[in-house]
Amino acid sequence: MGGRGDNEAGVSGRDGAAETTGGGNSLAAFYEAWAWKREHLKDRDRLQRPYVHLLDDGSKLTIKQARFKATGFASTVWDSSIVVAKMLEARPELCRGKRCLDLSAGCGLIAVVLARLGASEVVATDLCENELDDNLPLLRDNCEANAPGRVSVLPHCWGRDMESLLPRFDLVVACDVMYVSEAVGDLVDTLAGVVAVTGCGGSVLLAHGRNRGGEGAFMEAAAGRLAVARLPDSELHARFRTDDVSVFRLTPTGTPKAEHVVAVGTQPKGHTRKRGAAGDVVQAESRDTQTEQTKKKTKDAA
């Protein structure tokens, strides 16, 4: 399959799709298009062996992964992350010289690619250690091994403590975050709360594959706060794109509404305090819903 091995993705040059042309080579083109995809692989390739990502400049990134723990969590590189990483490589102006966030970074592929492409600052987040086993150390190790000293790794639960991520980012990337409908309201709170506001050029790249159960609820929650547009294939890497991965660009639509502002101060652990239109305080199970989303995500990886 492309001669690169089951656990390696990359092309020499940006127009990999042009390597195989002509009707007689249609079968070869089909295999070439699937050579980089990972979600069909056995667990030893998806969860145990390191993932090797070949950058368009010929250099390699080695991303360690984590098999399932007793707590039920694993960490792997998903196809959506590869699609976005290769898109950024093909269009480095999207991140070069900009302050960037890899939200719910997992293994950290996107964060590393952002750093290697010349982002001025890169922050990568995932759930706190006590809420997601030991994924933050894995994320830190991968970032330090592949982009030494260029990525800051922080804990973050959607909808909580956005102040720790400020100032706002020019570019936010979030891959495979559509697993649980109950969590997407908090996800929208974070995205709208940390991306640069209207007029400052901020945007979000959101991508997900077949696990998209929360997509409808997300679109409803984002309405009036984030404008959503699906990117056409012409904006993606010529080879690293697939019908089962959708990539969206989100841009802020205006000033956040009062009911979406996260209150600062004392709040029950695991809750987000939001003020409704009438001033009443509504508590949302932010930590529990995001943790449940991650459990479902890692279960689907099995």
Side-chain angles (χ1 to χ4, degrees):
M1 301 201 28
R4 294 186 177 92
D6 287 344
N7 218 31
E8 183 172 319
V11 295
S12 55
R14 293 182 179 173
D15 193 11
E19 295 176 0
T20 308
T21 58
N25 291 326
S26 59
L27 184 60
F30 171 81
Y31 281 117
E32 185 75 7
W34 272 78
W36 60 270
K37 293 173 66 63
R38 309 189 68 250
E39 294 185 18
H40 65 285
L41 299 178
K42 295 180 179 180
D43 281 358
R44 70 169 183 267
D45 294 316
R46 283 196 301 156
L47 302 174
Q48 298 177 33
R49 296 176 178 171
Y51 164 71
V52 178
H53 185 88
L54 181 62
L55 295 170
D56 281 356
D57 65 7
S59 59
K60 290 184 178 181
L61 308 176
T62 300
I63 306 294
K64 295 179 181 178
Q65 304 179 103
R67 60 187 303 175
F68 285 93
K69 304 291 196 307
T71 51
F73 292 111
S75 189
T76 184
V77 175
W78 293 85
D79 289 352
S80 61
S81 296
I82 298 173
V83 170
V84 173
K86 300 306 289 187
M87 170 191 173
L88 292 170
E89 291 175 57
R91 304 178 61 197
E93 69 278 1
L94 294 175
C95 63
R96 184 172 293 151
K98 297 181 178 181
R99 187 169 192 266
C100 301
L101 170 65
D102 184 3
L103 182 68
S104 299
C107 297
L109 173 64
I110 295 296
V112 170
V113 169
L114 289 168
R116 295 286 288 263
L117 291 176
S120 62
E121 183 180 357
V122 180
V123 175
T125 70
D126 216 319
L127 284 169
C128 309
E129 283 107 327
N130 63 338
E131 293 164 351
L132 189 56
D133 200 25
D134 59 353
N135 192 64
L136 280 182
L138 174 69
L139 176 57
R140 289 190 183 100
D141 287 347
N142 280 332
C143 290
E144 192 60 25
N146 293 278
R150 298 165 66 181
V151 179
S152 299
V153 175
L154 299 174
H156 177 71
C157 294
W158 299 339
R160 294 170 56 192
D161 192 24
M162 269 87 81
E163 292 79 11
S164 66
L165 299 180
L166 298 179
R168 291 173 177 261
F169 294 88
D170 303 304
L171 176 66
V172 178
V173 181
C175 295
D176 262 271
V177 291
M178 289 291 152
Y179 287 79
V180 177
S181 298
E182 292 77 9
V184 297
D186 296 312
L187 173 59
V188 170
D189 284 345
T190 287
L191 294 176
V194 302
V195 69
V197 296
T198 304
C200 295
S203 64
V204 176
L205 290 177
L206 181 74
H208 44 267
R210 56 185 173 82
N211 296 305
R212 57 179 70 202
E215 185 181 75
F218 177 88
M219 297 303 176
E220 291 183 9
R225 304 180 67 191
L226 296 165
V228 182
R230 182 169 179 173
L231 298 187
D233 283 352
S234 60
E235 293 196 37
L236 305 179
H237 193 288
R239 176 184 169 202
F240 291 87
R241 58 195 186 199
T242 175
D243 290 342
D244 58 5
V245 172
S246 302
V247 184
F248 300 86
R249 178 178 289 112
L250 284 60
T251 53
T253 58
T255 304
K257 297 179 181 179
E259 61 265 29
H260 299 302
V261 176
V262 177
V264 181
T266 304
Q267 57 188 33
K269 183 178 181 181
H271 291 68
T272 298
R273 295 169 61 87
K274 305 176 185 178
R275 293 202 173 273
D280 54 311
V281 175
V282 181
Q283 295 181 346
E285 296 287 347
S286 172
R287 181 191 65 186
D288 292 344
T289 52
Q290 190 180 352
T291 301
E292 184 62 29
Q293 166 156 322
T294 307
K295 287 181 178 179
K296 186 177 187 301
K297 179 177 180 178
T298 53
K299 180 179 179 181
D300 289 342

